Amino acid sequence: MTSSIQISRAENPVDVPFERLVEILLAAFAFQDGIVDPPSSAKSVSVSELQWRFARDTLFLAYNRDGHVVGQIWIEDIGKDAYLYKLSVDPVIKGGGIGKALVEATCAFAKDRGKESMRLHVRVELTDNIAFFTSRGFEIAGEGVHDGYDRTTFWKMARDLTAS
């Protein structure tokens, strides 16, 4: 599947199909309904929010052979590290290696810019997501608690980018 997928960094907001990105996010995160508590913030994502994020952060897109966007991943510069978020692939084609390709592209990008690690958060209930990121070289590096909760609600995961 990934042989027909192109991954590239979005550089011009005019070329970014923000409506399609919202559509992919909502579809990709829909399975979490009734599973994660508190509900994912992805449920309330909007075009204007993604446009704001684009002005601040780095976006990589996955395109199919017809040039349609089928996946996305965002990274935020957090000093010596980078923070990966909103990884999402169109559920119609999920499982073909697009998520892996997006993660590897962003890790290579961050490493090339001298970042020491890639960080992310994953909900404790999402064991398949934890396994996915573990398979990509991430390790649980801590726990987090959403405001108003008295239990761990997400894991902090990290991948060392300094190793060869």
Side-chain angles (χ1 to χ4, degrees), residues 29 32-33 36-45 86 123 146:
F29 281 72
Q32 296 180 16
D33 293 350
V36 299
D37 182 35
S40 173
S41 62
K43 300 289 293 176
S44 62
V45 73
K86 295 196 184 329
R123 297 300 188 90
H146 285 87

Side-chain angles (χ1 to χ4, degrees), residues 17-29:
F18 289 104
E19 294 85 4
R20 175 68 175 140
L21 299 185
V22 169
E23 179 183 297
I24 291 170
L25 273 166
L26 292 175
F29 281 72

Side-chain angles (χ1 to χ4, degrees), residues 17-83:
F18 289 104
E19 294 85 4
R20 175 68 175 140
L21 299 185
V22 169
E23 179 183 297
I24 291 170
L25 273 166
L26 292 175
F29 281 72
F31 82 95
Q32 296 180 16
D33 293 350
I35 296 174
V36 299
D37 182 35
S40 173
S41 62
K43 300 289 293 176
S44 62
V45 73
S46 66
V47 167
S48 61
E49 177 191 343
L50 293 184
Q51 290 169 330
W52 172 83
R53 289 183 181 282
F54 185 83
R56 183 190 76 172
D57 296 337
T58 302
L59 168 65
F60 279 79
L61 299 172
Y63 297 88
N64 67 12
R65 73 180 77 202
D66 298 323
H68 296 100
V69 173
V70 295
Q72 65 188 306
I73 192 168
W74 296 77
I75 53 173
E76 178 182 358
D77 184 324
I78 53 172
K80 64 181 179 61
D81 299 331
Y83 179 78

